Amino acid sequence: MDTYMTLRVYGTDTVPDTLSQELFRLDRQLSATRPDSLLTQLNEGGSLTCEEPIAALLRESLGLSARTDGALDPSVYPAVQLWGFPTDEFHVPTQAELDAVKPYIGTDHIHLDGSTVRLDEGTRLDFGAVAKGYAARRCVALLEQAGVSAALLSLGGNIQTYGSKPDGDWCIGITDPMGQSDCFATLHLQGSHAIVTSGSYQRSFTVGTETYHHILDPETCRSADSGLLSVTVVCADGLLADGLSTALFVMGLERAAKLYQESCDFEAVFYLEDGTVYLTQGLTEVYSGREYEVIAR
Ligand code: AMP
Ligand code: MG
């Protein structure tokens, strides 16, 4: 998954190996860049029958796409490739190049029939916005199976807490997107939570005075320019947190706040370009750090 992962499991030496084997297995299945992955088979062959993880992950991604008005869209991959993010061979596409990939982007080009996925000609999928969250969910299932009491997983910045930390709260720092200090805030949590941040600072390149980052607005196929520098989602499930953090980043504060008010399954921290921090009301008791405004439900 092109990132660093840290697994801390309390009271056992063997479970981390089980988790890392699962993570390597998921990477082999879900990577859009590995020539031998299941996802590459789908992207190159145009169809694939496979329930776990492909159809299952796609089904939930499509649900989140509908819920976020298309802000999350796994079919945005041809545009991601055009910008060079998968290979680090960055390129600023012309409007004509972007227009040429747009006909392939959109969830109506994805056909899911039971465990069989079929893609329209030219459409390609990318699970980059959800794969780490899905992996966190799978790790939680393995921790449950192993009867572990507590664990802290960092899957490339996707944090998953599990169970009760023996010596107090889980203290989860949120990276300062301006890079002025390591973290601008800390969340003090108990029990099992997914804490996932999407930010323009995480992957970007600069040409002249313009900086381009890796979270694309599927409408424009350009870096989302919604006034946010980062969004952190806190919820029970890794996949939901991962998908939503990417989608809320694209949606911007106003649309994200509206979605929050219509939902009951997540909380979030928003860091705006002007340095303002917004916090959903369910986090006020567990947040310490930079001054904030509250989004009420
Ligand atoms: P994340 O780091 O979870 O926010 O996901 C960002 C990654 O998801 C990018 O590196 C792309 O591979 C992919 N991506 C970018 N924009 C979108 C989008 N709007 N919907 C779905 N995937 C996206
Ligand atoms: Mg994500």
Side-chain angles (χ1 to χ4, degrees), residues 71-74 76 80 126 128-130 132 198 202-203 214-218 242 245-246 250:
L72 183 80
D73 188 338
V76 80
V80 175
D126 174 8
V130 289
K132 285 180 283 175
S198 286
Q202 288 170 340
R203 209 165 156 80
H214 69 308
I215 303 173
L216 303 186
D217 182 341
D242 199 359
S245 67
T246 308
V250 173

PDB file of all heavy atoms in Angstrom, residues 71-74 76 80 126 128-130 132 198 202-203 214-218 242 245-246 250, ligand 1:
ATOM      1  N   ALA A  71     -18.589  12.280  -4.282  1.00  0.00           N
ATOM      2  CA  ALA A  71     -17.279  12.833  -3.884  1.00  0.00           C
ATOM      3  C   ALA A  71     -16.244  11.719  -3.777  1.00  0.00           C
ATOM      4  O   ALA A  71     -15.075  11.898  -4.101  1.00  0.00           O
ATOM      5  CB  ALA A  71     -17.390  13.569  -2.550  1.00  0.00           C
ATOM      6  N   LEU A  72     -16.669  10.552  -3.292  1.00  0.00           N
ATOM      7  CA  LEU A  72     -15.811   9.364  -3.333  1.00  0.00           C
ATOM      8  C   LEU A  72     -16.208   8.608  -4.590  1.00  0.00           C
ATOM      9  O   LEU A  72     -17.384   8.300  -4.792  1.00  0.00           O
ATOM     10  CB  LEU A  72     -16.053   8.486  -2.100  1.00  0.00           C
ATOM     11  CG  LEU A  72     -15.130   7.268  -2.040  1.00  0.00           C
ATOM     12  CD1 LEU A  72     -13.764   7.674  -1.502  1.00  0.00           C
ATOM     13  CD2 LEU A  72     -15.709   6.166  -1.177  1.00  0.00           C
ATOM     14  N   ASP A  73     -15.235   8.335  -5.448  1.00  0.00           N
ATOM     15  CA  ASP A  73     -15.549   7.623  -6.677  1.00  0.00           C
ATOM     16  C   ASP A  73     -14.368   6.740  -7.073  1.00  0.00           C
ATOM     17  O   ASP A  73     -13.347   7.243  -7.531  1.00  0.00           O
ATOM     18  CB  ASP A  73     -15.871   8.632  -7.794  1.00  0.00           C
ATOM     19  CG  ASP A  73     -16.389   7.941  -9.039  1.00  0.00           C
ATOM     20  OD1 ASP A  73     -16.122   6.729  -9.209  1.00  0.00           O
ATOM     21  OD2 ASP A  73     -17.059   8.604  -9.837  1.00  0.00           O
ATOM     22  N   PRO A  74     -14.507   5.413  -6.896  1.00  0.00           N
ATOM     23  CA  PRO A  74     -13.374   4.524  -7.198  1.00  0.00           C
ATOM     24  C   PRO A  74     -12.994   4.504  -8.677  1.00  0.00           C
ATOM     25  O   PRO A  74     -11.924   4.026  -9.026  1.00  0.00           O
ATOM     26  CB  PRO A  74     -13.875   3.142  -6.739  1.00  0.00           C
ATOM     27  CG  PRO A  74     -15.355   3.240  -6.674  1.00  0.00           C
ATOM     28  CD  PRO A  74     -15.683   4.683  -6.396  1.00  0.00           C
ATOM     29  N   VAL A  76     -12.251   7.063 -10.427  1.00  0.00           N
ATOM     30  CA  VAL A  76     -11.476   8.267 -10.763  1.00  0.00           C
ATOM     31  C   VAL A  76     -10.040   7.909 -11.200  1.00  0.00           C
ATOM     32  O   VAL A  76      -9.263   8.778 -11.594  1.00  0.00           O
ATOM     33  CB  VAL A  76     -11.485   9.244  -9.540  1.00  0.00           C
ATOM     34  CG1 VAL A  76     -10.493   8.841  -8.478  1.00  0.00           C
ATOM     35  CG2 VAL A  76     -11.286  10.689  -9.968  1.00  0.00           C
ATOM     36  N   VAL A  80      -6.305   9.889 -11.821  1.00  0.00           N
ATOM     37  CA  VAL A  80      -5.182   9.755 -10.877  1.00  0.00           C
ATOM     38  C   VAL A  80      -3.920   9.361 -11.640  1.00  0.00           C
ATOM     39  O   VAL A  80      -2.827   9.887 -11.392  1.00  0.00           O
ATOM     40  CB  VAL A  80      -5.522   8.698  -9.785  1.00  0.00           C
ATOM     41  CG1 VAL A  80      -4.335   8.445  -8.874  1.00  0.00           C
ATOM     42  CG2 VAL A  80      -6.746   9.137  -8.962  1.00  0.00           C
ATOM     43  N   ASP A 126      -9.684   2.271  -8.516  1.00  0.00           N
ATOM     44  CA  ASP A 126      -8.597   2.554  -7.583  1.00  0.00           C
ATOM     45  C   ASP A 126      -9.198   2.454  -6.181  1.00  0.00           C
ATOM     46  O   ASP A 126     -10.156   3.156  -5.879  1.00  0.00           O
ATOM     47  CB  ASP A 126      -8.118   3.993  -7.856  1.00  0.00           C
ATOM     48  CG  ASP A 126      -7.082   4.475  -6.861  1.00  0.00           C
ATOM     49  OD1 ASP A 126      -6.604   3.670  -6.047  1.00  0.00           O
ATOM     50  OD2 ASP A 126      -6.761   5.679  -6.919  1.00  0.00           O
ATOM     51  N   GLY A 128      -7.416   3.154  -3.547  1.00  0.00           N
ATOM     52  CA  GLY A 128      -6.470   3.901  -2.704  1.00  0.00           C
ATOM     53  C   GLY A 128      -7.140   4.669  -1.573  1.00  0.00           C
ATOM     54  O   GLY A 128      -6.542   4.890  -0.518  1.00  0.00           O
ATOM     55  N   ALA A 129      -8.391   5.063  -1.772  1.00  0.00           N
ATOM     56  CA  ALA A 129      -9.074   5.863  -0.751  1.00  0.00           C
ATOM     57  C   ALA A 129      -9.690   5.004   0.353  1.00  0.00           C
ATOM     58  O   ALA A 129     -10.126   5.540   1.367  1.00  0.00           O
ATOM     59  CB  ALA A 129     -10.169   6.712  -1.409  1.00  0.00           C
ATOM     60  N   VAL A 130      -9.750   3.691   0.149  1.00  0.00           N
ATOM     61  CA  VAL A 130     -10.461   2.836   1.123  1.00  0.00           C
ATOM     62  C   VAL A 130      -9.692   1.587   1.556  1.00  0.00           C
ATOM     63  O   VAL A 130     -10.067   0.944   2.546  1.00  0.00           O
ATOM     64  CB  VAL A 130     -11.844   2.392   0.556  1.00  0.00           C
ATOM     65  CG1 VAL A 130     -12.825   3.551   0.506  1.00  0.00           C
ATOM     66  CG2 VAL A 130     -11.694   1.743  -0.817  1.00  0.00           C
ATOM     67  N   LYS A 132      -6.767   0.918   2.970  1.00  0.00           N
ATOM     68  CA  LYS A 132      -6.160   0.850   4.311  1.00  0.00           C
ATOM     69  C   LYS A 132      -7.244   0.720   5.382  1.00  0.00           C
ATOM     70  O   LYS A 132      -7.068   0.035   6.384  1.00  0.00           O
ATOM     71  CB  LYS A 132      -5.283   2.074   4.560  1.00  0.00           C
ATOM     72  CG  LYS A 132      -3.961   1.979   3.802  1.00  0.00           C
ATOM     73  CD  LYS A 132      -3.087   3.183   4.048  1.00  0.00           C
ATOM     74  CE  LYS A 132      -3.580   4.350   3.246  1.00  0.00           C
ATOM     75  NZ  LYS A 132      -2.869   5.592   3.508  1.00  0.00           N
ATOM     76  N   SER A 198      -7.388  12.470   5.970  1.00  0.00           N
ATOM     77  CA  SER A 198      -7.047  12.742   4.575  1.00  0.00           C
ATOM     78  C   SER A 198      -6.575  14.184   4.500  1.00  0.00           C
ATOM     79  O   SER A 198      -7.246  15.081   5.012  1.00  0.00           O
ATOM     80  CB  SER A 198      -8.267  12.577   3.660  1.00  0.00           C
ATOM     81  OG  SER A 198      -8.559  11.218   3.488  1.00  0.00           O
ATOM     82  N   GLN A 202      -0.416  15.155   2.361  1.00  0.00           N
ATOM     83  CA  GLN A 202       0.082  13.776   2.429  1.00  0.00           C
ATOM     84  C   GLN A 202       0.783  13.329   1.153  1.00  0.00           C
ATOM     85  O   GLN A 202       1.673  12.482   1.193  1.00  0.00           O
ATOM     86  CB  GLN A 202      -1.067  12.810   2.763  1.00  0.00           C
ATOM     87  CG  GLN A 202      -1.517  12.954   4.215  1.00  0.00           C
ATOM     88  CD  GLN A 202      -2.801  12.202   4.544  1.00  0.00           C
ATOM     89  OE1 GLN A 202      -3.571  11.868   3.648  1.00  0.00           O
ATOM     90  NE2 GLN A 202      -3.039  11.952   5.823  1.00  0.00           N
ATOM     91  N   ARG A 203       0.377  13.875   0.021  1.00  0.00           N
ATOM     92  CA  ARG A 203       0.995  13.479  -1.256  1.00  0.00           C
ATOM     93  C   ARG A 203       0.745  14.610  -2.247  1.00  0.00           C
ATOM     94  O   ARG A 203      -0.404  14.864  -2.620  1.00  0.00           O
ATOM     95  CB  ARG A 203       0.317  12.199  -1.741  1.00  0.00           C
ATOM     96  CG  ARG A 203       1.173  11.314  -2.579  1.00  0.00           C
ATOM     97  CD  ARG A 203       0.509   9.938  -2.653  1.00  0.00           C
ATOM     98  NE  ARG A 203       0.936   9.241  -3.842  1.00  0.00           N
ATOM     99  CZ  ARG A 203       2.096   8.600  -3.948  1.00  0.00           C
ATOM    100  NH1 ARG A 203       2.921   8.553  -2.937  1.00  0.00           N
ATOM    101  NH2 ARG A 203       2.421   7.997  -5.064  1.00  0.00           N
ATOM    102  N   HIS A 214      -3.100  14.768  -4.172  1.00  0.00           N
ATOM    103  CA  HIS A 214      -3.576  13.468  -4.672  1.00  0.00           C
ATOM    104  C   HIS A 214      -5.066  13.195  -4.486  1.00  0.00           C
ATOM    105  O   HIS A 214      -5.546  12.161  -4.915  1.00  0.00           O
ATOM    106  CB  HIS A 214      -2.790  12.358  -3.976  1.00  0.00           C
ATOM    107  CG  HIS A 214      -3.117  12.238  -2.515  1.00  0.00           C
ATOM    108  ND1 HIS A 214      -3.076  13.314  -1.652  1.00  0.00           N
ATOM    109  CD2 HIS A 214      -3.494  11.196  -1.771  1.00  0.00           C
ATOM    110  CE1 HIS A 214      -3.424  12.911  -0.453  1.00  0.00           C
ATOM    111  NE2 HIS A 214      -3.687  11.633  -0.473  1.00  0.00           N
ATOM    112  N   ILE A 215      -5.805  14.109  -3.830  1.00  0.00           N
ATOM    113  CA  ILE A 215      -7.242  13.856  -3.658  1.00  0.00           C
ATOM    114  C   ILE A 215      -7.976  14.645  -4.739  1.00  0.00           C
ATOM    115  O   ILE A 215      -7.966  15.878  -4.730  1.00  0.00           O
ATOM    116  CB  ILE A 215      -7.723  14.258  -2.249  1.00  0.00           C
ATOM    117  CG1 ILE A 215      -6.910  13.509  -1.194  1.00  0.00           C
ATOM    118  CG2 ILE A 215      -9.219  13.954  -2.100  1.00  0.00           C
ATOM    119  CD1 ILE A 215      -7.184  13.956   0.225  1.00  0.00           C
ATOM    120  N   LEU A 216      -8.558  13.920  -5.689  1.00  0.00           N
ATOM    121  CA  LEU A 216      -9.153  14.580  -6.853  1.00  0.00           C
ATOM    122  C   LEU A 216     -10.652  14.757  -6.670  1.00  0.00           C
ATOM    123  O   LEU A 216     -11.327  13.906  -6.091  1.00  0.00           O
ATOM    124  CB  LEU A 216      -8.888  13.763  -8.113  1.00  0.00           C
ATOM    125  CG  LEU A 216      -7.424  13.468  -8.455  1.00  0.00           C
ATOM    126  CD1 LEU A 216      -7.329  12.782  -9.815  1.00  0.00           C
ATOM    127  CD2 LEU A 216      -6.568  14.732  -8.454  1.00  0.00           C
ATOM    128  N   ASP A 217     -11.149  15.869  -7.174  1.00  0.00           N
ATOM    129  CA  ASP A 217     -12.586  16.074  -7.247  1.00  0.00           C
ATOM    130  C   ASP A 217     -13.056  15.382  -8.532  1.00  0.00           C
ATOM    131  O   ASP A 217     -12.666  15.808  -9.624  1.00  0.00           O
ATOM    132  CB  ASP A 217     -12.879  17.581  -7.299  1.00  0.00           C
ATOM    133  CG  ASP A 217     -14.383  17.848  -7.336  1.00  0.00           C
ATOM    134  OD1 ASP A 217     -15.151  16.920  -7.680  1.00  0.00           O
ATOM    135  OD2 ASP A 217     -14.769  18.983  -7.025  1.00  0.00           O
ATOM    136  N   PRO A 218     -13.852  14.307  -8.411  1.00  0.00           N
ATOM    137  CA  PRO A 218     -14.241  13.574  -9.614  1.00  0.00           C
ATOM    138  C   PRO A 218     -14.965  14.444 -10.645  1.00  0.00           C
ATOM    139  O   PRO A 218     -14.968  14.118 -11.837  1.00  0.00           O
ATOM    140  CB  PRO A 218     -15.171  12.473  -9.087  1.00  0.00           C
ATOM    141  CG  PRO A 218     -14.799  12.306  -7.653  1.00  0.00           C
ATOM    142  CD  PRO A 218     -14.392  13.679  -7.180  1.00  0.00           C
ATOM    143  N   ASP A 242     -12.110   5.720   6.464  1.00  0.00           N
ATOM    144  CA  ASP A 242     -11.205   5.991   5.343  1.00  0.00           C
ATOM    145  C   ASP A 242     -11.970   6.591   4.157  1.00  0.00           C
ATOM    146  O   ASP A 242     -11.571   7.619   3.583  1.00  0.00           O
ATOM    147  CB  ASP A 242     -10.514   4.683   4.938  1.00  0.00           C
ATOM    148  CG  ASP A 242      -9.259   4.914   4.131  1.00  0.00           C
ATOM    149  OD1 ASP A 242      -8.920   6.078   3.854  1.00  0.00           O
ATOM    150  OD2 ASP A 242      -8.601   3.925   3.759  1.00  0.00           O
ATOM    151  N   SER A 245     -13.254  10.150   5.068  1.00  0.00           N
ATOM    152  CA  SER A 245     -12.262  11.231   5.185  1.00  0.00           C
ATOM    153  C   SER A 245     -11.890  11.750   3.800  1.00  0.00           C
ATOM    154  O   SER A 245     -11.780  12.958   3.585  1.00  0.00           O
ATOM    155  CB  SER A 245     -11.035  10.800   5.994  1.00  0.00           C
ATOM    156  OG  SER A 245     -10.313   9.819   5.316  1.00  0.00           O
ATOM    157  N   THR A 246     -11.746  10.851   2.851  1.00  0.00           N
ATOM    158  CA  THR A 246     -11.445  11.282   1.485  1.00  0.00           C
ATOM    159  C   THR A 246     -12.625  12.082   0.909  1.00  0.00           C
ATOM    160  O   THR A 246     -12.444  13.161   0.339  1.00  0.00           O
ATOM    161  CB  THR A 246     -11.161  10.052   0.590  1.00  0.00           C
ATOM    162  OG1 THR A 246     -10.175   9.246   1.225  1.00  0.00           O
ATOM    163  CG2 THR A 246     -10.693  10.471  -0.787  1.00  0.00           C
ATOM    164  N   VAL A 250     -13.109  16.259  -0.237  1.00  0.00           N
ATOM    165  CA  VAL A 250     -13.581  16.747  -1.540  1.00  0.00           C
ATOM    166  C   VAL A 250     -14.793  17.670  -1.354  1.00  0.00           C
ATOM    167  O   VAL A 250     -14.921  18.702  -2.016  1.00  0.00           O
ATOM    168  CB  VAL A 250     -13.962  15.551  -2.462  1.00  0.00           C
ATOM    169  CG1 VAL A 250     -14.626  16.031  -3.751  1.00  0.00           C
ATOM    170  CG2 VAL A 250     -12.729  14.707  -2.774  1.00  0.00           C
TER     171      VAL A 250
HETATM  172  P1  AMP B   1      -6.941   8.946   1.021  1.00  0.00           P
HETATM  173  O1  AMP B   1      -5.483   9.078   1.279  1.00  0.00           O
HETATM  174  O2  AMP B   1      -7.599   7.830   1.759  1.00  0.00           O
HETATM  175  O3  AMP B   1      -7.688  10.239   1.175  1.00  0.00           O
HETATM  176  O4  AMP B   1      -7.111   8.492  -0.498  1.00  0.00           O
HETATM  177  C1  AMP B   1      -6.476   9.187  -1.544  1.00  0.00           C
HETATM  178  C2  AMP B   1      -6.203   8.232  -2.684  1.00  0.00           C
HETATM  179  O5  AMP B   1      -7.442   7.754  -3.232  1.00  0.00           O
HETATM  180  C3  AMP B   1      -5.472   8.897  -3.823  1.00  0.00           C
HETATM  181  O6  AMP B   1      -4.082   8.693  -3.729  1.00  0.00           O
HETATM  182  C4  AMP B   1      -6.059   8.227  -5.060  1.00  0.00           C
HETATM  183  O7  AMP B   1      -5.397   6.989  -5.310  1.00  0.00           O
HETATM  184  C5  AMP B   1      -7.474   7.926  -4.656  1.00  0.00           C
HETATM  185  N1  AMP B   1      -8.425   9.030  -4.900  1.00  0.00           N
HETATM  186  C6  AMP B   1      -8.175  10.345  -5.135  1.00  0.00           C
HETATM  187  N2  AMP B   1      -9.319  11.063  -5.213  1.00  0.00           N
HETATM  188  C7  AMP B   1     -10.334  10.167  -5.037  1.00  0.00           C
HETATM  189  C8  AMP B   1     -11.765  10.284  -5.006  1.00  0.00           C
HETATM  190  N3  AMP B   1     -12.368  11.451  -5.164  1.00  0.00           N
HETATM  191  N4  AMP B   1     -12.466   9.147  -4.796  1.00  0.00           N
HETATM  192  C9  AMP B   1     -11.861   7.951  -4.634  1.00  0.00           C
HETATM  193  N5  AMP B   1     -10.531   7.779  -4.651  1.00  0.00           N
HETATM  194  C10 AMP B   1      -9.767   8.869  -4.846  1.00  0.00           C
END
